Amino acid sequence: MKGTKFSDLFIIQRDNFVDDRGSLDKIYSSDVFDFLRMKIDDVYISLSKKNVVRGLHHQIDHFGQKKLVQCLSGEFFDLALDLRIGSNTYGQLFTHKLSANDNTSLLIPSGFSHGIVSIEDDTKCLTFCSGAYLPQYEEGFNLRGWSDTLENLGIQVAELEFSGKDNALPIFNLV
């Protein structure tokens, strides 16, 4: 497990066993989840074509969710906005590319707004969530607010495909 400048946000190297038959990727271990103090309430798989945006989404207050995110096929940029008041990285956006070939996962703590931008067709994202999804407590921010950051990652904002819901989200502003 590798730390980042964002407290409690980690990059995790998963076990992957390869031989002449193929490979075996261990995506769940009760020991790991116990160590991470993460109870799994919901598990999601999203399938996206290239340039699809999902997020940024979060649940407010004590309804926040810890997330373990990994890529099953394709590639995507994972984006997490620190919303933890008092955090040294409050208002900063974490970005990390995940690929089906890199055997890494991200542990994103509660208090972050989270999203992905797929950079290949047929990109599958697997997300384990602590805490149930409660739409009445869901909020989010439009990723267009980080167009400079996205373009520095090689993402052309004009080519991105947003859902109607995500496109209508407000832009994040530091107050």
Side-chain angles (χ1 to χ4, degrees), residues 35-172:
F35 172 76
L36 298 174
R37 287 182 238 106
M38 184 171 177
K39 176 184 169 278
I40 300 170
D41 291 295
D42 292 331
V43 179
Y44 299 94
I45 294 177
S46 63
L47 174 64
S48 302
K49 61 185 182 180
K50 184 177 180 177
N51 294 325
V52 165
V53 174
R54 296 183 184 275
L56 297 170
H57 303 137
H58 61 277
Q59 291 187 170
I60 59 172
D61 300 327
H62 61 279
F63 300 105
Q65 296 173 303
K66 183 184 284 189
K67 296 179 179 180
L68 185 72
V69 181
Q70 55 198 46
C71 184
L72 298 178
S73 66
E75 278 187 322
F76 61 86
F77 277 104
D78 194 277
L79 305 133
L81 172 64
D82 191 348
L83 298 174
R84 300 170 298 173
I85 302 295
S87 166
N88 291 336
T89 52
Y90 173 78
Q92 293 181 32
L93 188 66
F94 170 83
T95 62
H96 188 81
K97 186 192 298 185
L98 289 174
S99 165
N101 300 321
D102 67 10
N103 299 311
T104 59
S105 300
L106 296 177
L107 178 67
I108 302 166
S110 176
F112 279 74
S113 199
H114 178 254
I116 68 168
V117 177
S118 62
I119 53 178
E120 289 185 7
D121 283 329
D122 299 319
T123 292
K124 280 188 185 176
C125 173
L126 173 65
T127 306
F128 295 90
C129 298
S130 71
Y133 171 64
L134 301 169
Q136 66 271 32
Y137 298 108
E138 183 182 32
E139 291 184 355
F141 296 104
N142 192 315
L143 271 174
R144 291 183 199 281
W146 285 275
S147 59
D148 289 347
T149 301
L150 295 173
E151 291 187 7
N152 285 338
L153 295 172
I155 299 169
Q156 300 304 311
V157 176
E159 297 175 5
L160 294 179
E161 185 176 333
F162 292 80
S163 70
K165 172 183 159 183
D166 288 351
N167 203 37
L169 291 172
I171 301 293
F172 178 79

Side-chain angles (χ1 to χ4, degrees), residues 7-22:
S7 66
D8 299 323
L9 195 156
F10 296 97
I11 300 169
I12 301 170
Q13 188 67 42
R14 297 188 317 272
D15 291 332
N16 186 29
F17 307 96
V18 179
D19 63 23
D20 58 350
R21 300 169 297 158

